[in-house]
Amino acid sequence: MAIKKSDLYASIWASCDELRGGMDASQYKDYVLFMLFIKYISDKYANSQDFAPPVFIPAGASFADMVALKGKPGIGDKINTDIIRPLIEANERLARSDFPDFNDPNKLGEGQAMVDRLSNLIGIFEKPELDFSANRAEHDDILGDAYEYLMRHFATESGKSKGQFYTPSEVSRVIAQVIGISPQNTKASTTAYDPTCGSGSLLLKVAAQAGRHITLEGQEMDVTTAGLARMNMILHDFPTANIQQGNTLAAPKFKDGEQLRTYDYVVANPPFSVKTWSVGLTPERDPYQRFAWGAPPAKQGDYAFLLHIIRSMKSTGKGACILPHGVLFRGNAEAAIRRKLVDSGILKGVIGLPTNLFYGTGIPACILVLDKENAGARRGVLMIDASRGYIKDGNKNRLREQDIHRIVDSFHKAADLPRYARMVPLSEIADPRNDYNLNLPRYIDSSEPEDLHDIEAHLRGGIPERDLDDPASPLAAYWQVMPSLRRALFSPLPAGEGPGERVRPGYCHPTLPLQDVRAAIFSHPEFTAFKQAVTQRFGAWRTQATVQLSAFDKGHHPKALIEQIAEDLLDGFKTAPLLDAYDIYQRLMDYWASVMQDDAYLITADGWVAKPARIIEIDKKGKRKDKGWICELIPKPLIVARFFAAEQAALEAMQIELEATSASLAELEEEHSGEDAAFAGFDKINAKQVKDRIKEIGSDTEAEDERAVLKRWLQLSERESKLKTAMKEQDAALDALAYAKYPTLSEAEIKALVIDDKWMARLTTDVQAELERVSQRLTGRLRELVERYQTPLPRLIDEVASLAVKVDGHLAKMAIAWS
């Protein structure tokens, strides 16, 4: 059975988090990630027949040997000496500092507490479904993604001061794409470097975008984090990546002779505004000439890292660096460096990001995109303000798939997009009014246009035509698609007035009551035609995607699949009016993340096979209990809907009758439960008490009404009981029919159930929801305008005067004079 990605991630995190106890997340992560690492390399390389496996596992130092230590005194010391030490001695790229101390009582507890905690931690990774021997990396790696999942969660838990080891993968992906690396322009000798690599996630995203094994090098100041990076490289199938530990600014490790080594691609997310950046070096006498444009401020290290990056780029090199927004506009020494940077032409773009994306800080940041190739001919800087595109995710913000795509698309097109992107000429940046200040609001006004009120409309009524028809109005795009709808909803004449009335130029009036507007929009032929056009676009994509999805099979790559069909969907809707193609794209990507991805990984592991699995629970006494069955790829409702619709309809009819019977029973009890009523003396209303009471009444003529109520209760109760029994039997029969159907399914039927009934049915609903949003935005804006101006000032004055007269009349009746 294939490992379901979401289940793998969630179960590992939940189990590990439960065992953490009082240990700080930033420390506990080192133990958990080592367990994942040792399990993976043991499964993949312990029995390797390769002449020179990327990781050599000495005899006695595998995960199986750790399992043998469970429950034994001294387990922590034995892990250190019998597992970790031989691994380090056998693999020169690994160092003792890469791994945590498994015999630290301050973190793991003393005596039996340590034994129990470590034994339980080993047990989490001992589950049979966590067999990674057949797991392939190739950028579609469950383990590598699981490692990132755990790091992201640990970064979230670690707090501001300790979460800097991880760059959010969404930001890393933006950087990897805007620097332009791709399979078409890379080869094995292509080099990429991160001078502040943290746990290596940014560097690995660059490698993933390259689509092949390139040369990776990185330096990280923190000893433990450098170890995380080395493990991360191995888990992502880059065991030859060179990760060095040390201070990049004071003691760079990657040199050719006495000069800094230069690279094709350089990326970094350095710590923001480091105050001690110059410790260990004198900028004026820097042997690597990094500060020729000037020395950064003594307590502001952002430009020090940027200058190191620029110096580390080849003459045609590309780079990108995440820095705080302050680098765009701070003065003095930084202003002088910024002037040199802009004049050099190396600065290709500035991307403003949302606040609170990063784990080490909540302040807003930006990406400076660098390119030395043809720098002298560059005549502008592309500026993108992406600060408003994100989603809340716990206590952090996160870029959505559509936000990433919008940024990357805008960067590569280098086209002006109102309130989002603009190619700013160098002459404008250098103009004395701006004086090389790169603060994005100087060049891009991303604020929402002010919604101006019309004084005359407030005084005299009517809807200003400017609010409806101005090109800047949010409604103008609707009338371009549906011009006659505009004329159907608004008239130059007030409602009910004939053609003899004087028309006020520039103002119009609604033709329908507010409550009828939505129905009028939905029934209008132009809106119907718009919906049909959207449905046709989706249908064309669906036909093409179905072919691609049907061709997907065992051994294929899910990430390549979603990239292909998602790009096709985005392209198909980019010219669709009124809809945002990126919103449609996001719908697909959200569904991929929640359902389709897991399905695709099941298919790539097992093929188009749908086997139900029994759900077995084991209680504390070790007894096994069958709790039914489940099929992840094709859930039972899909089987029932396609093959047993009649049986399901009969069951639903019974359910409706049961609900009606139960409601009648409850109504009867409530109606006759008052004092002296039929059920007044009952402690609990049940069949025995009701029958006893009927027997007690006998043939008493005075209790005829009570007897009728009690007999009616018995009839309803018996019918309810029979329906419940029948439904239980029918449900069990339907369950058996569905369960028995799976082995008979052909591959074609499985594909139809998964692709048509499951995936496409959901996506069709999502597109319809986007259409619904279009109508909601239109009706919402129209409602806002109508309500704003429907009661002009003279009418308000008349209504106030009328109400004042009524109040005075009421006060007079109470002999109260109001002055």
Side-chain angles (χ1 to χ4, degrees), residues 606-625:
D606 300 330
W608 291 92
V609 176
K611 293 180 180 177
R614 305 305 305 187
I615 303 170
I616 306 297
E617 285 188 1
I618 301 175
D619 62 20
K620 293 180 179 178
K621 296 180 180 178
K623 288 186 178 180
R624 295 163 61 86
K625 188 172 183 181

Side-chain angles (χ1 to χ4, degrees), residues 63 73 80 85 167 187 208 290 344 349 443 486 571 579 589 605-606 636 775:
F63 180 77
N80 283 344
R85 185 189 295 165
T167 301
K187 48 192 176 183
R290 289 171 291 184
S344 73
Y443 308 98
R486 157 75 167 83
D571 289 342
L579 289 165
M589 298 309 293
D606 300 330
K636 173 184 165 183
S775 66

Side-chain angles (χ1 to χ4, degrees), residues 529-552:
F530 164 69
K531 288 196 298 182
Q532 288 173 345
V534 171
T535 302
Q536 287 172 357
R537 283 177 185 267
F538 179 73
W541 172 81
R542 175 174 178 159
T543 300
Q544 180 182 357
T546 298
V547 173
Q548 295 163 338
L549 293 167
S550 297
F552 185 76

Side-chain angles (χ1 to χ4, degrees), residues 522 527 530-542 569-570 572-573 576-589 591 759-777:
F522 268 89
F527 189 79
F530 164 69
K531 288 196 298 182
Q532 288 173 345
V534 171
T535 302
Q536 287 172 357
R537 283 177 185 267
F538 179 73
W541 172 81
R542 175 174 178 159
L569 182 66
L570 186 63
F573 276 89
L578 302 181
L579 289 165
D580 186 332
Y582 291 100
D583 288 338
I584 304 282
Y585 170 82
Q586 186 65 41
R587 291 277 190 171
L588 172 58
M589 298 309 293
Y591 186 52
W759 295 344
M760 289 303 173
R762 162 61 186 271
L763 293 170
T764 300
T765 302
D766 284 347
V767 171
Q768 291 302 315
E770 288 300 318
L771 279 171
E772 181 72 19
R773 285 178 60 190
V774 169
S775 66
Q776 287 173 349
R777 285 195 295 266

Side-chain angles (χ1 to χ4, degrees), residues 45-92:
Y45 302 121
N47 299 310
S48 174
Q49 301 300 311
D50 293 348
F51 174 72
V55 181
F56 182 73
I57 315 292
S62 71
F63 180 77
D65 298 300
M66 288 184 75
V67 172
L69 297 175
K70 284 172 61 179
K72 295 183 178 179
I75 180 175
D77 182 56
K78 286 185 171 64
I79 291 173
N80 283 344
T81 57
D82 298 350
I83 307 293
I84 295 178
R85 185 189 295 165
L87 268 177
I88 295 164
E89 291 172 351
N91 297 276
E92 62 178 20

Side-chain angles (χ1 to χ4, degrees), residues 2 28 57 65 69 76 88 116 157 225 258 266 317 322 400 433 563 565-566 615 621 625 659 663 668 728 732 771 775:
Y28 187 56
I57 315 292
D65 298 300
L69 297 175
I88 295 164
D116 291 345
E157 296 279 319
T225 306
E258 293 304 311
V266 184
I322 302 167
R400 298 164 295 180
R433 290 174 302 172
E563 184 176 328
I565 64 172
I615 303 170
K621 296 180 180 178
K625 188 172 183 181
E659 289 171 359
L668 187 71
K728 190 173 182 181
L771 279 171
S775 66

